[in-house]
Amino acid sequence: MKFAYADPPYFGNGRKRYAPFHDNADQYDDKNAHIQLVTKLVDEYPDGWALSCNPKDLQWLLPSMPTDIRVCAWTKTFHQIRVNVSVQYAWEPVIFRGGRDQRHRRPMTRDWTSGVIAMRKGLPGAKPLYFFQWVTAMLGYEEGDVIDDIFPGTNGLQEALKL
């Protein structure tokens, strides 16, 4: 099976936070780039995919999604404190679609995971190892499958697949 995981520069942060790390990061300061990414995932990865995004973006991003997606949650037990926000952002949505049929799979995988953020990875928004293990479990990834990391960043997904 062929899967994909995408963790693009979050809307409005491309130029500001990711320009040194991603070619054309500033294009993700436009909502249409994110919607085009969804179209790419749907068209090129019918077996399944997962997409990380900012909770603030769900309102405009979800209408571009197929009806069979699930919004899963990565909750952060330790996160950046934003002094100008009274309700802290301590979770990130992971929009998930498809995957291997796992109706009878044990152990089961929850539609949420919780833990600390990755620190000192050299890239804003880098995900920890357990996060990638959770995403691959949701997709039902097995040895021999392909999973494309659309925005490899610190190559965390590839590190998780080596275990």
Side-chain angles (χ1 to χ4, degrees):
M1 298 187 86
K2 184 177 180 182
F3 304 116
Y5 170 66
D7 187 10
Y10 292 175
F11 175 67
N13 288 292
R15 183 178 297 114
K16 180 171 51 178
R17 296 187 71 200
Y18 296 98
F21 307 105
H22 293 291
D23 294 338
N24 305 316
D26 60 335
Q27 77 183 14
Y28 287 91
D29 289 340
D30 181 348
K31 292 178 182 177
N32 287 325
H34 294 270
I35 292 169
Q36 290 170 358
L37 176 58
V38 170
T39 300
K40 174 184 172 122
L41 292 169
V42 170
D43 291 348
E44 296 180 23
Y45 299 94
D47 291 335
W49 48 266
L51 170 68
S52 287
C53 67
N54 188 314
K56 298 185 302 186
D57 300 339
L58 288 173
Q59 183 177 9
W60 60 264
L61 193 54
L62 286 177
S64 70
M65 298 282 173
T67 58
D68 60 347
I69 57 102
R70 287 184 68 172
V71 178
C72 304
W74 171 39
T75 61
K76 305 171 193 178
T77 56
F78 174 80
H79 57 87
Q80 179 182 359
I81 302 296
R82 300 184 189 278
V83 294
N84 61 344
V85 178
S86 60
V87 177
Q88 295 295 304
Y89 291 95
W91 78 288
E92 287 187 24
V94 177
I95 300 169
F96 164 76
R97 182 176 193 227
R100 181 172 272 106
D101 183 357
Q102 302 180 71
R103 285 178 279 191
H104 305 290
R105 181 174 170 243
R106 298 290 185 265
M108 293 179 281
T109 303
R110 292 184 172 112
D111 61 359
W112 62 270
T113 194
S114 184
V116 298
I117 61 173
M119 297 178 64
R120 297 181 182 93
K121 292 283 189 178
L123 177 69
K127 306 298 189 274
L129 181 63
Y130 74 86
F131 174 89
F132 292 111
Q133 292 169 324
W134 171 64
V135 167
T136 57
M138 284 195 300
L139 290 169
Y141 176 87
E142 294 179 357
E143 192 169 331
D145 290 343
V146 172
I147 183 164
D148 291 338
D149 191 349
I150 308 295
F151 299 87
T154 61
N155 291 311
L157 177 59
Q158 294 309 313
E159 291 300 315
L161 294 177
K162 290 178 185 176
L163 300 177

